Amino acid sequence: MARSTGIGLQDFAEIQKKNVFYVDKTDFIREWWEAKDKVTLITRPRRFGKTLTMSMVEQFFSVDYAGVDFFKKMSIWKEEEYRQLQGTYPVISLTFSSVKENSFAEAKKKINKMIWMLCQRFRFLAESGCLSPEEKQEFGRITDQMADYEASLSIQRLSYYLWKYYGKNVIILLDEYDTPMQEAYVKGYWHELTDYIRNLFNETFKNNPYLERAIMTGITRISWESIFSDLNHLEVVTTTSEKYADKFVRLESMMG
């Protein structure tokens, strides 16, 4: 029986459960993992499958998907090393795709709210006994009303809490990182939001000792005056696989 070709599906698990036609892109996981880059930024136009790829990566690595059979018929499953790797990392996954607010205050509050909602998925950490009373209080201060310095540290803090619970550094996936910046540019609050985002990214991707690796996606070209200006040098490379001849921007030596 022929598979249907679903349109607009962006969740890897949903595609597998519905038996929708899917071109196996799991070799991307191997290429990315073996490249050993701390943070990878993928900039491609819309409708290039970035969100679906992020879903695939999350569900391959996340402890929340340990033991799923979605990958057993995929290329990645041929190697024992990757069969053992599946479902073994805490993963923080976030998207900024809906941050399209009319003012800096609204955009900041929405991003803070999204981070708070993300943290609610991990509320079990506060009840697990692995956090000190002070750390529980810090966890509770992650809200949509938190101060800017609290917001900048929020994902790093969550990384630390997950490290304490699982004993492993985290993988962070941020989809459509640049949507808020595009809206800020059009609506006149670029400089305010740039400072806020730069501080958040510095603490999440540069100064985060609990980060194993990260992927960010977007559509915007990178410039030295961008939000990445404090994140050391950028190197533009091309993947060696003809199948995945997309351009990547790798943020090298992020912990330096």
Side-chain angles (χ1 to χ4, degrees), residues 26-90:
T26 56
D27 279 341
F28 169 80
I29 296 170
R30 185 187 301 105
E31 287 186 8
W32 174 65
W33 195 251
E34 293 178 0
K36 295 182 170 59
D37 295 315
K38 199 70 175 181
V39 178
T40 301
L41 174 60
I42 304 173
T43 56
R44 298 296 290 164
R46 299 187 191 282
R47 301 291 175 250
F48 265 72
K50 297 187 298 296
T51 298
L52 178 56
T53 297
M54 294 287 262
S55 175
M56 174 188 71
V57 172
E58 177 187 6
Q59 292 168 26
F60 182 80
F61 286 101
S62 175
V63 292
D64 294 337
Y65 292 89
V68 298
D69 59 3
F70 305 148
F71 297 94
K72 291 185 177 179
K73 295 181 180 179
M74 302 291 175
S75 174
I76 193 70
W77 212 250
K78 294 176 182 178
E79 298 181 32
E80 175 65 21
E81 175 187 354
Y82 288 93
R83 292 198 295 272
Q84 295 298 319
L85 194 58
Q86 195 277 321
T88 60
Y89 276 89

Side-chain angles (χ1 to χ4, degrees), residues 209-240:
Y210 310 103
L211 174 67
E212 181 66 27
R213 301 191 194 177
I215 302 178
M216 305 168 68
T217 74
I219 66 170
T220 306
R221 284 190 176 188
I222 303 305
S223 72
W224 285 112
E225 293 75 32
S226 75
I227 52 177
F228 299 113
S229 60
D230 293 337
L231 299 187
N232 299 316
H233 66 284
L234 303 179
E235 179 186 357
V236 181
V237 299
T238 306
T239 56
T240 56

Side-chain angles (χ1 to χ4, degrees), residues 3 24 51 89 115 134 169 173 182 237:
R3 293 185 178 185
D24 186 351
T51 298
Y89 276 89
I115 293 173
E134 294 78 12
N169 283 357
L173 307 174
Q182 295 169 42
V237 299

Side-chain angles (χ1 to χ4, degrees), residues 99 101 103-112 189 193 196:
V99 183
E101 314 313 304
S103 70
F104 169 62
E106 291 174 349
K108 182 175 72 170
K109 188 170 183 178
K110 186 163 188 177
I111 292 172
N112 288 355
Y189 56 93
L193 190 62
Y196 169 83

Side-chain angles (χ1 to χ4, degrees), residues 46 50 95-101 107 110-111 174-187 189-190 193 197 201 217-220 227:
R46 299 187 191 282
K50 297 187 298 296
T95 177
F96 282 172
S97 61
S98 66
V99 183
K100 301 178 180 181
E101 314 313 304
K110 186 163 188 177
I111 292 172
L174 177 56
D175 197 24
E176 298 199 35
Y177 83 92
D178 53 349
T179 296
M181 305 309 300
Q182 295 169 42
E183 296 296 319
Y185 182 79
V186 172
K187 295 171 182 175
Y189 56 93
W190 165 269
L193 190 62
I197 292 290
F201 284 6
T217 74
I219 66 170
T220 306
I227 52 177

